[in-house]
Every structure is written in C-alpha cells, then in structure tokens.
Amino acid sequence: MDKKLIAIDLDGTLLNSDGIVSDATKLHLQKLKEKGHIITIATGRILNRALVGTDGAEFANYIVSDAGAAVFKNDGINKEWKEVYTQALSKDIVENIASYYDKGKFMTINICDRNNIHHYDQTVNITEFLENINEIIHVSVSFINNEFVEEYLKIFTKKFPMLKVEIMQDSFGEVKWLEIAQKGVEKYKGIVEVAKLEGILNENIIAFGDGLNDVEMLKKCGIGVAMQNALPKVKEKADYITFRTNNENGVVEFLKEYLVDI
C-alpha cells in the first residue's frame, strides 16, 4: 500500500468531549506511523495547546497549527517540534484590528503566538500589550453573540484585504467567531507542505474534520472524511462520513476499515 498522509483535526475530531485522545487511538496512530504513514495534526489551536491536548503528540510526525499558519515537525529524538514555517502577522496590522474593539459587541481579541493566547479587551494600551509578544501567528475575535460575527466579517474583509478573515464554528457548539491570519493561510496549504517534504501525492492524503475551518481541507485533500458528529456543511463536502463520533474513536475505526495493512 502507498504511504499515506493522514491529516486529523483535533477538537471534535481526534479529541473526545473530555478534550483528550483515547489510548486506543494513540496506539493505532503510533502503529500507522511505525508502518511509514505520516500522521499530521491539522488544527486551529496554537502549537502549545495542540501538544497539551494530545499529551505531547508523540504519535504524530507533524503539526499544522493555527489553521495552517504554521507547520512543525517532530524531530523524533528530543521530543522537540522544529518549525517548518510560520506566516506571522505584523504588530501594526494587529493594532489596527484591535482598534475596532467595541465592548458592546466584542468579548475578547485573542492574539496567538506558538505558546500562548493573549486576551486583549481594551483594558490596557494595545501598543504596550503587544510589546511582550514576539511573533503573532494568528488572531481570533469572539463576540457577545453570533449576530456580530457576520457584521465584522464584512468590516474586516473590506478593511484588511491582505488578510484572510473567516467564520469558525466547532461541531459541538453554537458559538461562532472570527479567525484572522495572513491571506492564503489554510489547513490544506500546511498539509501540502508536509506532503511535499514527504513525497506524498494528493491522492494519498486522507483528511478528517468536523468544523467550518475543515471544509476546504476535506474538499481539496485526496480523501475527505467528515466525522459523524460534524456540522452539516462539513458533511456535505466530504467523500466519506465516519460511522462513529469523536467520542467513539471515529477516526481510528474508519482507518481500520480503509487501511487494511494493519
């Protein structure tokens, strides 16, 4: 069987409702990795939060974090994650985004580097706030209610044409928010970079997801698999839908059927 790149979202996909990866899932993915398949986490989380949620992600070869704005490789020796690339945001742009903060509509602006999420809510000067942040990889904006999401999607898309602004929603909640990164950033782009490094054709990429930021990944990868618990919009774009949910090891149960070499 050809070597596969298996790209897996975290929240609502690989992680169960307790926010962990089951031991059975870790074991099976580790076995697939040892067989030569490339296990790649593809998440909207920052690197540090991806590692915490997966107990170090030792079963993975790569992590595509920040919904594609950064890619890291497991060095396989020192349990360190080496940067493949990042597409950072300038502090000037983030200052401009923060200038739109409206306490009657916004909850917080989350400014993310690889290790921390910094919550800005206009209680401090934004310039001073940004001084202690070295590299901003992406920004997310949460609102008091969902009606403001569409409003600011239009505002930010018009005001910041150099940025990618998209609505995000997970399968396990009604809350929507905005994710902001450099133009062209998406999970699929990060996955393609991994595929190039590993010499894997797109037809041999299997991607799993459940939320809105997984739609393009599932459409563009060779095999797109939506979780049983995925949002309807995600299921519409998938080639397959798992029989089991993220709470029932849905990813691994699908792989056991689809990959018969283990």
Side-chain angles (χ1 to χ4, degrees), residues 114-152:
R114 71 178 61 182
N115 295 314
N116 296 289
I117 300 175
H118 308 269
H119 307 286
Y120 175 74
D121 60 4
Q122 212 177 33
T123 57
V124 295
N125 177 275
I126 184 61
T127 303
E128 296 175 1
F129 186 83
L130 293 175
E131 284 179 357
N132 297 319
I133 306 174
N134 293 323
E135 185 178 44
I136 302 167
I137 302 178
H138 89 276
V139 170
S140 65
V141 184
S142 58
F143 299 88
I144 293 172
N145 59 57
N146 285 345
E147 70 178 271
F148 301 124
V149 178
E150 292 283 355
E151 176 185 347
Y152 280 88

mmCIF file of all heavy atoms in Angstrom, residues 114-152:
data_model
loop_
_atom_site.group_PDB
_atom_site.id
_atom_site.type_symbol
_atom_site.label_atom_id
_atom_site.label_comp_id
_atom_site.label_asym_id
_atom_site.label_seq_id
_atom_site.Cartn_x
_atom_site.Cartn_y
_atom_site.Cartn_z
ATOM 1 N N ARG A 114 3.009 30.901 19.351
ATOM 2 C CA ARG A 114 3.033 29.430 19.355
ATOM 3 C C ARG A 114 2.819 28.833 20.744
ATOM 4 O O ARG A 114 2.420 27.673 20.868
ATOM 5 C CB ARG A 114 4.328 28.912 18.756
ATOM 6 C CG ARG A 114 5.555 29.133 19.622
ATOM 7 C CD ARG A 114 6.799 28.539 18.987
ATOM 8 N NE ARG A 114 7.082 29.153 17.693
ATOM 9 C CZ ARG A 114 8.091 28.782 16.916
ATOM 10 N NH1 ARG A 114 8.866 27.787 17.278
ATOM 11 N NH2 ARG A 114 8.327 29.385 15.781
ATOM 12 N N ASN A 115 3.060 29.626 21.794
ATOM 13 C CA ASN A 115 2.984 29.085 23.151
ATOM 14 C C ASN A 115 1.833 29.611 23.991
ATOM 15 O O ASN A 115 1.443 28.974 24.965
ATOM 16 C CB ASN A 115 4.299 29.365 23.893
ATOM 17 C CG ASN A 115 5.479 28.649 23.277
ATOM 18 O OD1 ASN A 115 5.398 27.473 22.965
ATOM 19 N ND2 ASN A 115 6.572 29.370 23.084
ATOM 20 N N ASN A 116 1.301 30.764 23.628
ATOM 21 C CA ASN A 116 0.289 31.390 24.482
ATOM 22 C C ASN A 116 -0.798 32.079 23.671
ATOM 23 O O ASN A 116 -0.589 32.483 22.528
ATOM 24 C CB ASN A 116 0.937 32.428 25.416
ATOM 25 C CG ASN A 116 1.908 31.817 26.391
ATOM 26 O OD1 ASN A 116 1.515 31.129 27.327
ATOM 27 N ND2 ASN A 116 3.194 32.055 26.172
ATOM 28 N N ILE A 117 -1.960 32.219 24.303
ATOM 29 C CA ILE A 117 -3.046 33.026 23.764
ATOM 30 C C ILE A 117 -3.196 34.240 24.673
ATOM 31 O O ILE A 117 -3.473 34.102 25.867
ATOM 32 C CB ILE A 117 -4.365 32.233 23.711
ATOM 33 C CG1 ILE A 117 -4.208 30.989 22.821
ATOM 34 C CG2 ILE A 117 -5.494 33.118 23.184
ATOM 35 C CD1 ILE A 117 -5.421 30.086 22.812
ATOM 36 N N HIS A 118 -2.992 35.412 24.118
ATOM 37 C CA HIS A 118 -3.036 36.659 24.879
ATOM 38 C C HIS A 118 -4.398 37.328 24.646
ATOM 39 O O HIS A 118 -4.749 37.644 23.508
ATOM 40 C CB HIS A 118 -1.900 37.583 24.433
ATOM 41 C CG HIS A 118 -0.550 36.919 24.447
ATOM 42 N ND1 HIS A 118 0.284 36.951 25.544
ATOM 43 C CD2 HIS A 118 0.097 36.179 23.503
ATOM 44 C CE1 HIS A 118 1.396 36.273 25.279
ATOM 45 N NE2 HIS A 118 1.301 35.805 24.036
ATOM 46 N N HIS A 119 -5.138 37.548 25.722
ATOM 47 C CA HIS A 119 -6.502 38.048 25.619
ATOM 48 C C HIS A 119 -6.527 39.566 25.779
ATOM 49 O O HIS A 119 -6.213 40.092 26.848
ATOM 50 C CB HIS A 119 -7.384 37.391 26.681
ATOM 51 C CG HIS A 119 -7.321 35.899 26.682
ATOM 52 N ND1 HIS A 119 -7.923 35.135 25.710
ATOM 53 C CD2 HIS A 119 -6.700 35.027 27.524
ATOM 54 C CE1 HIS A 119 -7.702 33.853 25.964
ATOM 55 N NE2 HIS A 119 -6.956 33.764 27.039
ATOM 56 N N TYR A 120 -6.908 40.254 24.709
ATOM 57 C CA TYR A 120 -6.988 41.721 24.733
ATOM 58 C C TYR A 120 -8.440 42.160 24.812
ATOM 59 O O TYR A 120 -9.275 41.713 24.024
ATOM 60 C CB TYR A 120 -6.340 42.321 23.485
ATOM 61 C CG TYR A 120 -6.502 43.820 23.389
ATOM 62 C CD1 TYR A 120 -5.757 44.665 24.204
ATOM 63 C CD2 TYR A 120 -7.426 44.381 22.512
ATOM 64 C CE1 TYR A 120 -5.926 46.044 24.147
ATOM 65 C CE2 TYR A 120 -7.592 45.757 22.435
ATOM 66 C CZ TYR A 120 -6.844 46.580 23.254
ATOM 67 O OH TYR A 120 -7.022 47.946 23.200
ATOM 68 N N ASP A 121 -8.740 43.032 25.777
ATOM 69 C CA ASP A 121 -10.122 43.505 25.942
ATOM 70 C C ASP A 121 -10.215 45.013 26.186
ATOM 71 O O ASP A 121 -11.159 45.504 26.803
ATOM 72 C CB ASP A 121 -10.816 42.754 27.076
ATOM 73 C CG ASP A 121 -10.104 42.956 28.414
ATOM 74 O OD1 ASP A 121 -9.121 43.737 28.468
ATOM 75 O OD2 ASP A 121 -10.534 42.334 29.405
ATOM 76 N N GLN A 122 -9.226 45.745 25.717
ATOM 77 C CA GLN A 122 -9.205 47.212 25.774
ATOM 78 C C GLN A 122 -8.957 47.758 27.183
ATOM 79 O O GLN A 122 -9.077 48.961 27.400
ATOM 80 C CB GLN A 122 -10.509 47.796 25.207
ATOM 81 C CG GLN A 122 -10.336 49.148 24.514
ATOM 82 C CD GLN A 122 -11.634 49.651 23.903
ATOM 83 O OE1 GLN A 122 -12.716 49.406 24.416
ATOM 84 N NE2 GLN A 122 -11.526 50.369 22.796
ATOM 85 N N THR A 123 -8.597 46.907 28.136
ATOM 86 C CA THR A 123 -8.319 47.403 29.488
ATOM 87 C C THR A 123 -6.890 47.925 29.608
ATOM 88 O O THR A 123 -6.548 48.568 30.601
ATOM 89 C CB THR A 123 -8.536 46.292 30.538
ATOM 90 O OG1 THR A 123 -7.716 45.164 30.214
ATOM 91 C CG2 THR A 123 -10.001 45.870 30.582
ATOM 92 N N VAL A 124 -6.069 47.633 28.600
ATOM 93 C CA VAL A 124 -4.695 48.133 28.574
ATOM 94 C C VAL A 124 -4.414 48.722 27.209
ATOM 95 O O VAL A 124 -5.123 48.442 26.232
ATOM 96 C CB VAL A 124 -3.671 47.017 28.888
ATOM 97 C CG1 VAL A 124 -3.839 46.514 30.313
ATOM 98 C CG2 VAL A 124 -3.798 45.864 27.900
ATOM 99 N N ASN A 125 -3.373 49.509 27.115
ATOM 100 C CA ASN A 125 -2.957 50.093 25.839
ATOM 101 C C ASN A 125 -2.464 48.985 24.909
ATOM 102 O O ASN A 125 -1.632 48.176 25.300
ATOM 103 C CB ASN A 125 -1.858 51.119 26.088
ATOM 104 C CG ASN A 125 -1.327 51.728 24.816
ATOM 105 O OD1 ASN A 125 -0.436 51.178 24.176
ATOM 106 N ND2 ASN A 125 -1.881 52.870 24.435
ATOM 107 N N ILE A 126 -2.970 48.952 23.692
ATOM 108 C CA ILE A 126 -2.652 47.860 22.774
ATOM 109 C C ILE A 126 -1.174 47.833 22.405
ATOM 110 O O ILE A 126 -0.573 46.757 22.274
ATOM 111 C CB ILE A 126 -3.525 47.918 21.490
ATOM 112 C CG1 ILE A 126 -3.245 46.710 20.587
ATOM 113 C CG2 ILE A 126 -3.334 49.227 20.759
ATOM 114 C CD1 ILE A 126 -3.534 45.370 21.193
ATOM 115 N N THR A 127 -0.539 48.988 22.248
ATOM 116 C CA THR A 127 0.881 49.024 21.907
ATOM 117 C C THR A 127 1.708 48.394 23.012
ATOM 118 O O THR A 127 2.614 47.582 22.759
ATOM 119 C CB THR A 127 1.346 50.467 21.655
ATOM 120 O OG1 THR A 127 0.547 51.048 20.615
ATOM 121 C CG2 THR A 127 2.813 50.509 21.240
ATOM 122 N N GLU A 128 1.403 48.749 24.251
ATOM 123 C CA GLU A 128 2.108 48.162 25.386
ATOM 124 C C GLU A 128 1.801 46.669 25.496
ATOM 125 O O GLU A 128 2.676 45.865 25.825
ATOM 126 C CB GLU A 128 1.710 48.877 26.678
ATOM 127 C CG GLU A 128 2.122 50.340 26.724
ATOM 128 C CD GLU A 128 1.620 51.049 27.955
ATOM 129 O OE1 GLU A 128 0.959 50.388 28.802
ATOM 130 O OE2 GLU A 128 1.877 52.253 28.090
ATOM 131 N N PHE A 129 0.566 46.304 25.214
ATOM 132 C CA PHE A 129 0.139 44.909 25.283
ATOM 133 C C PHE A 129 0.945 44.041 24.325
ATOM 134 O O PHE A 129 1.344 42.925 24.658
ATOM 135 C CB PHE A 129 -1.352 44.822 24.939
ATOM 136 C CG PHE A 129 -1.964 43.462 25.108
ATOM 137 C CD1 PHE A 129 -2.391 43.030 26.354
ATOM 138 C CD2 PHE A 129 -2.134 42.616 24.023
ATOM 139 C CE1 PHE A 129 -2.970 41.778 26.516
ATOM 140 C CE2 PHE A 129 -2.709 41.358 24.178
ATOM 141 C CZ PHE A 129 -3.127 40.939 25.433
ATOM 142 N N LEU A 130 1.209 44.568 23.133
ATOM 143 C CA LEU A 130 1.904 43.802 22.096
ATOM 144 C C LEU A 130 3.416 43.735 22.295
ATOM 145 O O LEU A 130 4.082 42.913 21.683
ATOM 146 C CB LEU A 130 1.606 44.396 20.718
ATOM 147 C CG LEU A 130 0.154 44.271 20.229
ATOM 148 C CD1 LEU A 130 -0.026 45.002 18.904
ATOM 149 C CD2 LEU A 130 -0.247 42.807 20.092
ATOM 150 N N GLU A 131 3.949 44.600 23.161
ATOM 151 C CA GLU A 131 5.400 44.635 23.359
ATOM 152 C C GLU A 131 5.955 43.307 23.868
ATOM 153 O O GLU A 131 7.090 42.944 23.574
ATOM 154 C CB GLU A 131 5.770 45.751 24.344
ATOM 155 C CG GLU A 131 5.712 47.140 23.733
ATOM 156 C CD GLU A 131 6.070 48.224 24.740
ATOM 157 O OE1 GLU A 131 6.300 47.885 25.935
ATOM 158 O OE2 GLU A 131 6.104 49.406 24.343
ATOM 159 N N ASN A 132 5.166 42.582 24.620
ATOM 160 C CA ASN A 132 5.634 41.330 25.217
ATOM 161 C C ASN A 132 5.324 40.098 24.368
ATOM 162 O O ASN A 132 5.526 38.964 24.816
ATOM 163 C CB ASN A 132 5.024 41.154 26.609
ATOM 164 C CG ASN A 132 5.462 42.244 27.572
ATOM 165 O OD1 ASN A 132 6.626 42.635 27.582
ATOM 166 N ND2 ASN A 132 4.532 42.745 28.359
ATOM 167 N N ILE A 133 4.834 40.324 23.152
ATOM 168 C CA ILE A 133 4.533 39.215 22.251
ATOM 169 C C ILE A 133 5.528 39.260 21.100
ATOM 170 O O ILE A 133 5.614 40.255 20.383
ATOM 171 C CB ILE A 133 3.085 39.312 21.711
ATOM 172 C CG1 ILE A 133 2.092 39.424 22.872
ATOM 173 C CG2 ILE A 133 2.766 38.095 20.843
ATOM 174 C CD1 ILE A 133 0.657 39.658 22.432
ATOM 175 N N ASN A 134 6.275 38.182 20.916
ATOM 176 C CA ASN A 134 7.342 38.188 19.918
ATOM 177 C C ASN A 134 6.846 37.979 18.495
ATOM 178 O O ASN A 134 7.161 38.747 17.592
ATOM 179 C CB ASN A 134 8.389 37.118 20.260
ATOM 180 C CG ASN A 134 9.135 37.438 21.533
ATOM 181 O OD1 ASN A 134 9.417 38.598 21.809
ATOM 182 N ND2 ASN A 134 9.441 36.423 22.317
ATOM 183 N N GLU A 135 6.064 36.918 18.295
ATOM 184 C CA GLU A 135 5.622 36.564 16.945
ATOM 185 C C GLU A 135 4.142 36.204 16.978
ATOM 186 O O GLU A 135 3.757 35.240 17.635
ATOM 187 C CB GLU A 135 6.431 35.390 16.397
ATOM 188 C CG GLU A 135 6.100 35.041 14.956
ATOM 189 C CD GLU A 135 6.961 33.901 14.435
ATOM 190 O OE1 GLU A 135 7.151 32.913 15.174
ATOM 191 O OE2 GLU A 135 7.441 34.005 13.301
ATOM 192 N N ILE A 136 3.333 36.971 16.277
ATOM 193 C CA ILE A 136 1.888 36.745 16.266
ATOM 194 C C ILE A 136 1.554 35.887 15.056
ATOM 195 O O ILE A 136 1.775 36.285 13.909
ATOM 196 C CB ILE A 136 1.116 38.074 16.208
ATOM 197 C CG1 ILE A 136 1.490 38.949 17.405
ATOM 198 C CG2 ILE A 136 -0.391 37.819 16.170
ATOM 199 C CD1 ILE A 136 1.041 40.390 17.281
ATOM 200 N N ILE A 137 1.013 34.700 15.309
ATOM 201 C CA ILE A 137 0.738 33.779 14.209
ATOM 202 C C ILE A 137 -0.689 33.911 13.709
ATOM 203 O O ILE A 137 -0.939 33.861 12.510
ATOM 204 C CB ILE A 137 1.045 32.329 14.629
ATOM 205 C CG1 ILE A 137 2.515 32.227 15.061
ATOM 206 C CG2 ILE A 137 0.768 31.364 13.480
ATOM 207 C CD1 ILE A 137 2.931 30.854 15.540
ATOM 208 N N HIS A 138 -1.637 34.070 14.617
ATOM 209 C CA HIS A 138 -3.000 34.353 14.166
ATOM 210 C C HIS A 138 -3.776 35.051 15.269
ATOM 211 O O HIS A 138 -3.340 35.131 16.421
ATOM 212 C CB HIS A 138 -3.723 33.081 13.681
ATOM 213 C CG HIS A 138 -4.466 32.327 14.733
ATOM 214 N ND1 HIS A 138 -3.880 31.414 15.568
ATOM 215 C CD2 HIS A 138 -5.782 32.333 15.074
ATOM 216 C CE1 HIS A 138 -4.774 30.881 16.376
ATOM 217 N NE2 HIS A 138 -5.943 31.430 16.109
ATOM 218 N N VAL A 139 -4.928 35.588 14.890
ATOM 219 C CA VAL A 139 -5.799 36.320 15.812
ATOM 220 C C VAL A 139 -7.202 35.761 15.683
ATOM 221 O O VAL A 139 -7.661 35.454 14.575
ATOM 222 C CB VAL A 139 -5.812 37.830 15.479
ATOM 223 C CG1 VAL A 139 -6.891 38.567 16.264
ATOM 224 C CG2 VAL A 139 -4.434 38.444 15.742
ATOM 225 N N SER A 140 -7.884 35.593 16.803
ATOM 226 C CA SER A 140 -9.300 35.244 16.758
ATOM 227 C C SER A 140 -10.087 36.268 17.562
ATOM 228 O O SER A 140 -9.582 36.814 18.540
ATOM 229 C CB SER A 140 -9.548 33.828 17.298
ATOM 230 O OG SER A 140 -9.223 33.740 18.661
ATOM 231 N N VAL A 141 -11.306 36.523 17.107
ATOM 232 C CA VAL A 141 -12.146 37.540 17.741
ATOM 233 C C VAL A 141 -13.459 36.894 18.165
ATOM 234 O O VAL A 141 -14.175 36.328 17.333
ATOM 235 C CB VAL A 141 -12.436 38.716 16.781
ATOM 236 C CG1 VAL A 141 -13.227 39.805 17.500
ATOM 237 C CG2 VAL A 141 -11.130 39.277 16.219
ATOM 238 N N SER A 142 -13.753 36.972 19.461
ATOM 239 C CA SER A 142 -15.008 36.418 19.967
ATOM 240 C C SER A 142 -15.961 37.555 20.316
ATOM 241 O O SER A 142 -15.537 38.643 20.731
ATOM 242 C CB SER A 142 -14.765 35.535 21.194
ATOM 243 O OG SER A 142 -14.125 36.256 22.224
ATOM 244 N N PHE A 143 -17.250 37.286 20.149
ATOM 245 C CA PHE A 143 -18.269 38.319 20.285
ATOM 246 C C PHE A 143 -19.296 37.954 21.351
ATOM 247 O O PHE A 143 -19.415 36.787 21.758
ATOM 248 C CB PHE A 143 -18.981 38.529 18.939
ATOM 249 C CG PHE A 143 -18.058 38.987 17.847
ATOM 250 C CD1 PHE A 143 -17.377 38.053 17.064
ATOM 251 C CD2 PHE A 143 -17.842 40.327 17.612
ATOM 252 C CE1 PHE A 143 -16.519 38.461 16.057
ATOM 253 C CE2 PHE A 143 -16.983 40.748 16.605
ATOM 254 C CZ PHE A 143 -16.316 39.819 15.822
ATOM 255 N N ILE A 144 -20.047 38.944 21.781
ATOM 256 C CA ILE A 144 -21.077 38.740 22.792
ATOM 257 C C ILE A 144 -22.156 37.793 22.282
ATOM 258 O O ILE A 144 -22.658 36.954 23.016
ATOM 259 C CB ILE A 144 -21.675 40.088 23.230
ATOM 260 C CG1 ILE A 144 -20.613 40.902 23.987
ATOM 261 C CG2 ILE A 144 -22.916 39.892 24.106
ATOM 262 C CD1 ILE A 144 -21.018 42.314 24.313
ATOM 263 N N ASN A 145 -22.508 37.942 21.000
ATOM 264 C CA ASN A 145 -23.416 36.963 20.383
ATOM 265 C C ASN A 145 -23.110 36.846 18.895
ATOM 266 O O ASN A 145 -22.376 37.658 18.323
ATOM 267 C CB ASN A 145 -24.891 37.305 20.636
ATOM 268 C CG ASN A 145 -25.273 38.668 20.095
ATOM 269 O OD1 ASN A 145 -25.115 38.930 18.907
ATOM 270 N ND2 ASN A 145 -25.773 39.547 20.954
ATOM 271 N N ASN A 146 -23.687 35.836 18.263
ATOM 272 C CA ASN A 146 -23.330 35.497 16.886
ATOM 273 C C ASN A 146 -23.732 36.550 15.857
ATOM 274 O O ASN A 146 -23.189 36.562 14.746
ATOM 275 C CB ASN A 146 -23.960 34.157 16.504
ATOM 276 C CG ASN A 146 -23.241 32.969 17.126
ATOM 277 O OD1 ASN A 146 -22.123 33.097 17.614
ATOM 278 N ND2 ASN A 146 -23.889 31.819 17.115
ATOM 279 N N GLU A 147 -24.675 37.421 16.185
ATOM 280 C CA GLU A 147 -25.132 38.392 15.185
ATOM 281 C C GLU A 147 -24.027 39.352 14.772
ATOM 282 O O GLU A 147 -24.059 39.901 13.662
ATOM 283 C CB GLU A 147 -26.331 39.188 15.717
ATOM 284 C CG GLU A 147 -26.005 40.169 16.824
ATOM 285 C CD GLU A 147 -27.207 40.970 17.277
ATOM 286 O OE1 GLU A 147 -27.447 42.035 16.678
ATOM 287 O OE2 GLU A 147 -27.897 40.529 18.215
ATOM 288 N N PHE A 148 -23.036 39.540 15.626
ATOM 289 C CA PHE A 148 -21.952 40.471 15.310
ATOM 290 C C PHE A 148 -20.862 39.825 14.457
ATOM 291 O O PHE A 148 -20.006 40.528 13.915
ATOM 292 C CB PHE A 148 -21.347 41.030 16.597
ATOM 293 C CG PHE A 148 -22.341 41.758 17.456
ATOM 294 C CD1 PHE A 148 -22.550 41.375 18.775
ATOM 295 C CD2 PHE A 148 -23.088 42.807 16.942
ATOM 296 C CE1 PHE A 148 -23.467 42.031 19.572
ATOM 297 C CE2 PHE A 148 -24.018 43.473 17.738
ATOM 298 C CZ PHE A 148 -24.211 43.079 19.055
ATOM 299 N N VAL A 149 -20.884 38.517 14.334
ATOM 300 C CA VAL A 149 -19.850 37.828 13.567
ATOM 301 C C VAL A 149 -19.922 38.211 12.093
ATOM 302 O O VAL A 149 -18.914 38.571 11.474
ATOM 303 C CB VAL A 149 -19.971 36.301 13.734
ATOM 304 C CG1 VAL A 149 -18.923 35.589 12.890
ATOM 305 C CG2 VAL A 149 -19.803 35.901 15.201
ATOM 306 N N GLU A 150 -21.099 38.130 11.509
ATOM 307 C CA GLU A 150 -21.279 38.499 10.103
ATOM 308 C C GLU A 150 -20.953 39.970 9.873
ATOM 309 O O GLU A 150 -20.355 40.340 8.855
ATOM 310 C CB GLU A 150 -22.715 38.208 9.655
ATOM 311 C CG GLU A 150 -23.079 36.735 9.599
ATOM 312 C CD GLU A 150 -22.520 36.035 8.379
ATOM 313 O OE1 GLU A 150 -21.931 36.715 7.525
ATOM 314 O OE2 GLU A 150 -22.672 34.798 8.296
ATOM 315 N N GLU A 151 -21.350 40.820 10.818
ATOM 316 C CA GLU A 151 -21.089 42.260 10.699
ATOM 317 C C GLU A 151 -19.593 42.534 10.582
ATOM 318 O O GLU A 151 -19.139 43.278 9.686
ATOM 319 C CB GLU A 151 -21.661 42.984 11.919
ATOM 320 C CG GLU A 151 -21.357 44.473 11.956
ATOM 321 C CD GLU A 151 -21.836 45.153 13.228
ATOM 322 O OE1 GLU A 151 -22.616 44.540 13.991
ATOM 323 O OE2 GLU A 151 -21.428 46.315 13.461
ATOM 324 N N TYR A 152 -18.804 41.918 11.465
ATOM 325 C CA TYR A 152 -17.370 42.191 11.458
ATOM 326 C C TYR A 152 -16.617 41.380 10.421
ATOM 327 O O TYR A 152 -15.502 41.757 10.031
ATOM 328 C CB TYR A 152 -16.790 42.019 12.864
ATOM 329 C CG TYR A 152 -17.075 43.254 13.703
ATOM 330 C CD1 TYR A 152 -18.251 43.357 14.425
ATOM 331 C CD2 TYR A 152 -16.200 44.329 13.699
ATOM 332 C CE1 TYR A 152 -18.545 44.501 15.161
ATOM 333 C CE2 TYR A 152 -16.476 45.477 14.422
ATOM 334 C CZ TYR A 152 -17.651 45.563 15.149
ATOM 335 O OH TYR A 152 -17.931 46.706 15.857
#
